Amino acid sequence: MNPGIDLQGSFIQALVQLGLPTDIARLVWLPLPMVVMLIGATVGVLACVWLERKISAAAQQRIGPEFIGPMGALAPLADGLKLVLKEDIVPLKADPWLFTLGPAIVVIPVFLSYLIVPFGQNLLITDLSIGVFLWIALASITPIGLLMAGYASNNKYSLIGGLRAAAQSISYEIPLALSVLAIVMMSNSLSTIDIVNQQAGYGILGWNIWRQPVGFLIFWIAALAECERLPFDLPEAEEELVAGYQTEYTGMKFGLFYLGSYVNLVLSALFVAVLYLGGWESPIPLSLISNWFGISETTPWLQIITATLGITMTLLKAYFLIFLAILLRWTVPRVRIDQLLDLGWKFLLPVGLVNLLLTAALKLTFPFAFGG
């Protein structure tokens, strides 16, 4: 297995060579991954918002953003600036503490989940042995913030929106966890790095999507429901609930809900890429190509190319899924709340259980193909 480029070691070594003590160099490194993660996630959201506008305009024969920057590329930035400058209003009869904490509780766990998203063998902030479990645990915190925001607003539309968000999250969290368990069972690990490495070696033929097609569909449907994307945007259905749990929010607090929704969509797409589409691996293994030309995998320039290609492949896979999610939003109608709950409890949950049991049976029968 290619060890990949060691960013932390190379950075600290470069600072030491410049004359800094090793301890100081390590201190300088500590905040950098978090800052890079925040900047990367924010840029990803801006790109996602721009894509949403362009694709929706194309799907529904609208003009779309054109005038703010080249091809309207600065329109999401103008939206963010507008939200920052708007007045922050707290309703007179709302609970001010819960009303303020709600958006923060929604956004913070989503950002923290980026800690375990790998873009290469060593291109992630931390490789935890319980990485996937941590992500599911953090995802289960978000509905608490939505419910808190709905309750604290002292508005019946907001309260119903918050209750719908909690019901929807519980309905789809279990099928999502079952589909992830099947992947974990095949990989014998909860680490995102181990899950990608388990798919490496055979190129596109080794990706989990071929061994877990049902799990892939369950995961993607449940992830869209967790992100409250159409046709599952019941907690904020404008025609029924005005704006759901967001009704009383203005300014940057509303912006945090908006930001959290898109950050979660990008995160879900990245996890689909990691769990089912080989993560940073390219369709044709780079190690195979390097062996053809007799180049060692530890060659520095090859490691840099491998790292760059890994980041590119992960983002390409994720943004292809985001494109599908946006196209789905603007082409299918919204489901009713009873249909949404039926789909989660009466279809995805039993299918997810059967898929898990079938994976266990295949693992015992064909251990060479299913991670025995």
Side-chain angles (χ1 to χ4, degrees), residues 21-365:
T22 307
D23 292 339
I24 301 293
R26 286 179 180 162
L27 278 177
V28 173
W29 166 261
L30 280 178
L32 276 182
M34 187 63 75
V35 172
V36 171
M37 183 270 289
L38 285 173
I39 294 173
T42 307
V43 171
V45 168
L46 292 176
C48 202
V49 173
W50 179 78
L51 280 174
E52 176 107 50
R53 291 187 166 190
K54 296 300 280 188
I55 295 170
S56 64
Q60 299 194 346
Q61 295 185 338
R62 300 180 184 182
I63 296 175
E66 285 188 343
F67 306 107
I68 311 176
M71 297 179 67
L74 297 180
L77 205 59
D79 285 343
L81 188 63
K82 182 179 71 176
L83 286 173
V84 169
L85 296 177
K86 272 194 171 182
E87 183 183 2
D88 176 30
I89 298 172
V90 178
L92 187 62
K93 294 185 179 179
D95 185 315
W97 282 101
L98 295 183
F99 191 79
T100 304
L101 280 175
I105 292 177
V106 169
V107 170
I108 291 173
V110 182
F111 272 103
L112 287 178
S113 300
Y114 277 84
L115 293 173
I116 56 167
V117 177
F119 292 89
Q121 184 68 27
N122 291 312
L123 294 176
L124 81 166
I125 295 176
T126 178
D127 179 19
L128 295 175
S129 58
I130 57 164
V132 177
F133 178 75
L134 175 70
W135 170 57
I136 294 174
L138 287 171
S140 63
I141 296 175
T142 301
I144 298 174
L146 300 178
L147 191 58
M148 190 184 290
Y151 172 75
S153 297
N154 195 27
N155 178 310
K156 61 182 179 183
Y157 296 115
S158 303
L159 181 60
I160 294 172
L163 291 172
R164 280 188 173 188
Q168 181 169 325
S169 178
I170 293 168
S171 303
Y172 285 85
E173 192 80 31
I174 300 172
L176 185 140
L178 289 175
S179 60
V180 172
L181 270 178
I183 297 291
V184 169
M185 190 185 292
M186 291 198 308
S187 308
N188 299 312
S189 174
L190 286 163
S191 162
T192 49
I193 292 287
D194 291 343
I195 289 172
V196 175
N197 284 336
Q198 177 259 335
Q199 303 172 66
Y202 300 99
I204 192 172
L205 297 177
W207 295 355
N208 280 335
I209 190 172
W210 309 119
R211 287 172 290 187
Q212 286 290 319
V214 177
F216 167 75
L217 290 174
I218 293 173
F219 186 94
W220 186 232
I221 293 171
L224 288 179
E226 290 277 320
C227 298
E228 297 169 13
R229 299 284 301 179
L230 255 170
F232 306 113
D233 66 335
L234 273 297
E236 49 177 312
E238 298 94 339
E239 293 85 354
E240 305 162 37
L241 297 175
V242 186
Y245 56 82
Q246 305 172 353
T247 302
E248 300 293 348
Y249 281 89
T250 60
M252 202 51 213
K253 286 177 184 168
F254 171 80
L256 285 177
F257 285 125
Y258 193 70
L259 179 69
S261 169
Y262 278 102
V263 173
N264 205 6
L265 177 63
V266 177
L267 179 71
S268 299
L270 285 170
F271 266 101
V272 175
V274 168
L275 297 178
Y276 294 97
L277 301 178
W280 65 81
E281 292 290 334
S282 53
I284 301 174
L286 201 61
S287 57
L288 188 64
I289 299 174
S290 63
N291 285 337
W292 287 346
F293 292 96
I295 304 169
S296 171
E297 291 183 32
T298 54
T299 308
W301 62 265
L302 182 62
Q303 287 196 343
I304 293 173
I305 291 176
T306 304
T308 308
L309 187 65
I311 295 171
T312 307
M313 289 307 302
T314 309
L315 291 177
L316 275 178
K317 293 169 187 174
Y319 274 93
F320 173 69
L321 292 162
I322 290 170
F323 168 75
L324 292 181
I326 294 173
L327 200 60
L328 199 65
R329 175 180 178 181
W330 296 97
T331 49
V332 296
R334 178 183 297 129
V335 298
R336 295 196 312 267
I337 184 69
D338 60 312
Q339 293 171 332
L340 179 135
L341 296 177
D342 281 351
L343 178 66
W345 289 106
K346 295 181 180 177
F347 182 73
L348 293 183
L349 179 58
V351 172
L353 276 171
V354 171
N355 182 59
L356 184 62
L357 294 173
L358 189 63
T359 305
L362 290 170
K363 183 182 171 72
L364 293 173
T365 311

